[in-house]
Amino acid sequence: MSLATLSLSEVQSGFRSGAFSPVEYLEALEARIAALEPTVGAFLSRDLAPARAAAQAADVHLPLGGIPVGIKDAISVRGETCSCASKVLAGYRAPYDATVIARLRAAGAIPFGRLNMDELAMGSSTENSAWHPTRNPWDVTRIPGGSSGGSAASVAAREIPVALGSDTGGSIRQPAALCGCVGVKPSYGRVSRYGLGAFASSLDQIGPLARSVRDCAAVLNVIAGHDPRDSTSLDLEPEDFLAGLGRDDLKGVRLGKPKEYFIDGMDARVRNAVEAAIRRCEELGAEIVEISLPHTEYAVSTYYILSTAEASANLARLDGIRYGHRAQNPANLLDLYERTRAEGFGNEVKRRIILGTHVLSSGYYDAYYLRAQKVRTLIRRDFEAAFASVDAIVCPTSPEAALRLGERGQDLLKTYLADIFTIAANLAGICGLSVPCGFIEEGSVRLPVGLQFLGRALDEAKLLRIADTYERAEAWSSQAPPLETP
Amino acid sequence: MSDSVLDVESVARLARIALTPEETRAFADQIGRILEHIELLRRVDVSAVEPTAHANPVFNVLREDVPVEGLERDSALALAPRQAHHLIMVPKVVE
């Protein structure tokens, strides 16, 4: 058996007992990556030499000593390319480490590889990458979800033990669900975004993807914390997210089941898997409470106004002047801007910038942007009211399992509506995670289904504890996709 | 919102993106359908609701006014598509 398939804690025990070294582990991962990448395509690039040097020097007694961590292409690692899977940043190399990278290094981890994503984090299939699509390890004719599709696919394929993603409207949780791994979106303000390519600054959070809740908690322990360089990061007492894990029952836990998250349009097989998981939580001692989040139906509209508006402002910096792509032989400055951005951005990014510019433009601001901000308040209040009576909310992560590449076609509205179960958490700033809860059968293949837990803002410790108990009561997380390796 | 007219051509100009006529037509149709869906928000009574700009009530985050290390000049300049004499080169902007 390859070292690559060991769990994070098994790897750490192996390092500490001297059974194998970080260099041997890294090389086992690299061998598996080299074998699988022609099929999966989770990585945009990776640089083995500096990773090996870091592995050689690793202090295995640090919290993540010698552990390679895959990095979404939106997060800056000094000296490495950081294209956000966009042509507009082709060849750009980050001149500094993101705060999460500095924290990982300080904990002994080794940032390794650039993981594919939808261009500038816009999309939920990783088909919008300017470079190549990533394939779902459970069925390589299918999408891994997105936008952190490379992170989820690499973790599910056992190419990397843990990865970082970013989540603006579900971009960690939805690919985790579709690839059968665990993904955590921390509360707004929990993790610094300094060094993350900004999409929608009032919604973006960085978080971990891994093969278990425990492994995600270990990474969250390292990346969480106040950073003076991100004014939205909160100055909180450090917490140990591993400390409360390991409980075998959910006695005394009240879980809210929102009626708006079990809808007609969803795949009935996904719904059945989620309902079964909720019954399992009940068997474990949880009390299931029917709740209502009445403004759920407005979440998608609210999200696509606010996120595109913010994106249109954030992406104004990609103008071809200081870094990134620049159009050749510009006639004048305006021509330089317009052609640089026409050549650099893909269709989905252009559409969203135009939508965002429109909703912010004179005469429409109050009707769209301001109204959406007010509806956002109502969505936030829905959650506050729910959390007054429950410890966490339990629901599906995605209304469907992984589609085939290209299956959605050009139906944008349908694509956007599929984000329905994940985006409200970003609008409300609360924490959420997805954990595997079974499979649906699609011909001869099995496709993973994700169970989502949502917790009140800054209540990650409780959320992780609940998910850990559910996860260990079942064996879904430990199942590996049917990939052939030589 | 129902009187909202999306003029993709002028919005693209504001956004500094050159579009082909085909893109302009396709985007008008695609974004138009998203805007139709967004009309849903008109049904919500927001008359007595304060807007939420972002999720945490954090205001006026300030730091001490002391100099700290920033990005080195050369490593920042090295990223520019065109540079010379320690300057970023751009098309002439003043006639």
Side-chain angles (χ1 to χ4, degrees):
Chain A
M1 192 180 79
S2 164
L3 294 179
T5 58
L6 299 178
S7 75
L8 187 61
S9 55
E10 286 168 335
V11 172
Q12 288 179 311
S13 315
F15 286 171
R16 289 167 190 169
S17 71
F20 51 89
S21 70
V23 173
E24 289 170 292
Y25 178 60
L26 179 69
E27 279 168 356
L29 290 181
E30 173 56 27
R32 187 171 172 90
I33 294 169
L36 292 178
E37 274 301 283
T39 330
V40 176
F43 287 82
L44 293 174
S45 64
R46 56 194 194 278
D47 198 349
L48 192 59
R52 192 188 277 119
Q56 240 140 20
D59 176 353
V60 300
H61 297 287
L62 288 169
L64 293 175
I67 302 293
V69 179
I71 308 296
K72 185 178 185 178
D73 199 39
I75 300 171
S76 300
V77 175
R78 188 185 170 112
E80 295 195 12
T81 53
C82 184
S83 75
C84 298
S86 179
K87 285 183 189 165
V88 82
L89 286 169
Y92 170 80
R93 283 181 186 272
Y96 62 92
D97 275 342
T99 296
V100 288
I101 299 300
R103 284 177 164 275
L104 285 175
R105 290 194 204 277
I110 304 167
F112 182 54
R114 308 297 303 168
L115 292 167
N116 202 12
M117 56 188 281
D118 287 299
E119 180 182 4
L120 294 158
M122 293 181 177
S124 36
S125 70
T126 314
E127 291 168 295
N128 292 339
S129 167
W131 311 123
H132 59 77
T134 293
R135 290 157 186 280
N136 193 309
W138 290 91
D139 176 357
V140 294
T141 69
R142 291 175 187 272
I143 59 164
S147 66
S148 311
S151 304
S154 62
V155 166
R158 276 68 177 158
E159 292 179 321
I160 197 91
V162 290
L164 294 187
S166 63
D167 190 314
T168 304
S171 282
I172 290 174
R173 292 161 287 158
Q174 183 259 14
L178 270 45
C179 289
C181 57
V182 181
V184 179
K185 185 206 90 74
S187 310
Y188 191 73
R190 177 67 86 177
V191 177
S192 166
R193 294 96 48 87
Y194 178 74
L196 169 71
F199 167 10
S201 302
S202 81
L203 305 164
D204 299 338
Q205 266 291 290
I206 295 173
L209 296 96
R211 299 211 300 268
S212 70
V213 173
R214 174 169 286 275
D215 294 355
C216 282
V219 176
L220 189 60
N221 266 357
V222 168
I223 62 173
H226 180 239
D227 177 13
R229 286 169 159 155
D230 177 355
S231 61
T232 65
S233 95
L234 297 171
D235 197 357
L236 306 163
E237 283 296 307
E239 279 184 74
D240 181 0
F241 298 111
L242 288 167
L245 304 186
R247 257 186 67 172
D248 288 328
D249 65 64
L250 293 174
K251 286 185 187 127
V253 173
R254 285 168 64 90
L255 292 176
K257 183 183 170 195
K259 65 171 193 228
E260 293 83 1
Y261 283 56
F262 295 84
I263 54 176
D264 288 341
M266 67 186 295
D267 187 324
R269 301 166 300 175
V270 169
R271 181 179 180 145
N272 290 340
V274 170
E275 299 270 15
I278 294 174
R279 284 195 298 277
R280 190 80 184 97
C281 291
E282 198 167 14
E283 287 163 19
L284 290 164
E287 184 187 346
I288 308 298
V289 185
E290 298 277 341
I291 60 167
S292 174
L293 299 165
H295 295 92
T296 299
E297 67 170 311
Y298 306 114
V300 172
S301 296
T302 303
Y303 175 81
Y304 278 94
I305 291 173
L306 298 180
S307 67
T308 59
E310 293 182 25
S312 73
N314 273 328
L315 301 183
R317 72 189 66 172
L318 299 171
D319 59 5
I321 301 296
R322 289 149 298 157
Y323 51 85
H325 174 71
R326 182 187 287 191
Q328 294 291 308
N329 306 316
N332 51 47
L333 191 63
L334 184 63
D335 181 48
L336 184 156
Y337 290 147
E338 290 189 333
R339 282 200 293 120
T340 292
R341 290 160 66 81
E343 293 164 7
F345 293 137
N347 274 340
E348 181 61 13
V349 175
K350 288 176 185 171
R351 272 192 296 262
R352 293 207 202 183
I353 290 174
I354 288 168
L355 175 57
T357 306
H358 176 64
V359 301
L360 286 178
S361 60
S362 173
Y364 296 116
Y365 179 89
D366 284 5
Y368 288 121
Y369 189 71
L370 189 61
R371 175 169 283 262
Q373 285 191 319
K374 289 178 177 176
V375 178
R376 182 177 186 178
T377 303
L378 298 173
I379 291 167
R380 192 164 52 84
R381 284 188 198 157
D382 281 355
F383 284 103
E384 281 166 13
F387 288 128
S389 66
V390 299
D391 294 295
I393 290 168
V394 62
C395 59
T397 307
S398 166
E400 61 204 5
L403 299 179
R404 288 206 168 77
L405 273 84
E407 184 175 344
R408 182 79 78 200
Q410 285 299 306
D411 192 338
L412 274 191
L413 183 58
K414 222 171 166 187
T415 304
Y416 291 180
L417 287 172
D419 297 340
I420 177 98
F421 299 148
T422 47
I423 57 185
N426 301 76
L427 291 167
I430 62 176
C431 56
L433 62 80
S434 181
V435 60
C437 73
F439 295 88
I440 66 169
E441 308 271 334
E442 191 74 70
S444 61
V445 301
R446 296 190 310 155
L447 301 175
V449 178
L451 180 70
Q452 184 174 224
F453 289 100
L454 300 172
R456 61 168 71 78
L458 305 178
D459 210 10
E460 281 88 348
K462 187 193 283 171
L463 198 70
L464 291 162
R465 202 164 64 224
I466 293 168
D468 167 68
T469 301
Y470 167 75
E471 177 183 59
R472 286 180 304 100
E474 298 281 9
W476 306 122
S477 290
S478 59
Q479 302 207 22
L483 289 164
E484 300 287 334
T485 48
Chain B
M1 288 189 225
S2 56
D3 52 358
S4 151
V5 181
L6 173 65
D7 178 352
V8 170
E9 215 175 315
S10 68
V11 176
R13 213 172 304 125
L14 289 174
R16 303 288 187 258
I17 301 174
L19 295 183
T20 64
E22 294 73 36
E23 284 175 320
T24 305
R25 270 196 300 277
F27 289 175
D29 178 53
Q30 293 159 343
I31 299 169
R33 266 181 281 144
I34 302 299
L35 287 170
E36 273 171 39
H37 180 77
I38 286 173
E39 292 289 314
L40 205 65
L41 293 191
R42 283 166 71 89
R43 300 210 307 244
V44 190
D45 178 6
V46 292
S47 52
V49 182
E50 288 292 310
T52 295
H54 71 107
N56 293 330
V58 176
F59 303 98
N60 295 338
V61 179
L62 303 174
R63 66 168 172 82
E64 291 302 309
D65 186 15
V66 288
V68 293
E69 291 286 310
L71 207 52
E72 288 157 34
R73 185 183 62 180
D74 288 346
S75 69
L77 272 172
L79 299 170
R82 283 194 65 203
Q83 46 123 345
H85 314 298
H86 298 296
L87 298 167
I88 293 171
M89 306 297 281
V90 295
K92 192 171 164 186
V93 288
V94 182
E95 292 302 325

